[in-house]
Amino acid sequence: MKNAEAAEFHEFVTARWSRLVRTAYLLTGHRHDAEDLAQNTLVQVYQGWGRVRMSESPDAYVHKIMVRCNGHRFRKRRVAERLGDPPEGGMSDATDQVAQRHALVAALQDLPRKQRAIVVLRFWSDLTERETAGVLGCSVGTVKSQTHRALARLRQHPALGSTVHEELMMGARGL
């Protein structure tokens, strides 16, 4: 990799590291696994930086790599998914908001892995339905139907109630 490309990669990583770790946390449910997943993702991104930076949406490309890397965790060994405390940063001190976010993150573990990935990519990573479909290798219709099912399951979750969609749309950006 040339010096200019290495500097560009470094700038890309610096600007997105905390967001990648938060997204990885929501996929893995554990802070240390999230950091490992983000690092493994960036190793893959570094190796294919030329393709990534020339893609239409580098962020979507990176998220696609992250979802694939996360899937590889399950092939290597069985991973128990228990969501702990979210990584620091961006959370307000308002007790109600913190409690709502903890309940929402805990409810995510009850979703099937693909539905959780769709919710994370759509609402936390702000990917479009088309970008999410590209990341997961499925159709836009699948993203729509799985989003609908995931939100319905979250609304049914006893800790969340009917405010799930509003929390996802307004509060997720601070997580």
Side-chain angles (χ1 to χ4, degrees):
M1 185 180 290
K2 298 177 185 173
N3 287 340
E5 288 178 347
E8 185 180 10
F9 176 77
H10 184 271
E11 184 178 315
F12 180 87
V13 170
T14 302
R16 289 165 178 82
W17 173 252
S18 62
R19 184 176 177 196
L20 287 173
V21 171
R22 284 191 303 269
T23 300
Y25 170 79
L26 292 167
L27 292 172
T28 64
H30 191 267
R31 182 183 179 111
H32 299 292
D33 289 340
E35 290 173 353
D36 288 346
L37 177 58
Q39 289 174 3
N40 289 337
T41 299
L42 290 174
V43 167
Q44 297 294 318
V45 170
Y46 181 81
Q47 291 172 347
W49 180 241
R51 288 185 310 274
V52 173
R53 70 185 186 100
M54 298 305 287
S55 70
E56 220 175 276
S57 176
D59 288 320
Y61 200 119
V62 171
H63 283 96
K64 183 175 189 171
I65 293 170
M66 181 175 284
V67 169
R68 285 187 179 161
C69 286
N70 187 47
H72 292 307
R73 288 182 335 118
F74 291 96
R75 290 187 193 104
K76 291 180 182 174
R77 59 180 160 72
R78 182 66 185 148
V79 177
E81 295 183 73
R82 292 285 164 213
L83 298 177
D85 292 331
E88 295 297 321
M91 294 184 80
S92 69
D93 290 336
T95 305
D96 289 340
Q97 287 179 338
V98 171
Q100 287 175 347
R101 288 200 181 117
H102 282 302
L104 180 57
V105 169
L108 284 173
Q109 80 179 15
D110 291 337
L111 292 176
R113 190 173 38 172
K114 188 168 188 174
Q115 286 182 1
R116 182 185 323 153
I118 288 172
V119 169
V120 169
L121 293 172
R122 289 280 295 125
F123 297 104
W124 267 277
S125 298
D126 291 329
L127 296 184
T128 65
E129 290 168 340
R130 183 176 308 250
E131 290 171 333
T132 302
V135 167
L136 297 174
C138 62
S139 70
V140 173
T142 299
V143 170
K144 289 179 181 181
S145 67
Q146 292 299 310
T147 300
H148 176 76
R149 289 181 185 136
L151 292 177
R153 284 184 71 159
L154 290 174
R155 283 186 196 103
Q156 299 285 325
H157 197 278
L160 298 178
S162 62
T163 60
V164 171
H165 189 71
E166 291 80 15
E167 174 66 19
L168 282 169
M169 295 306 289
M170 294 186 310
R173 286 166 180 54
L175 182 63

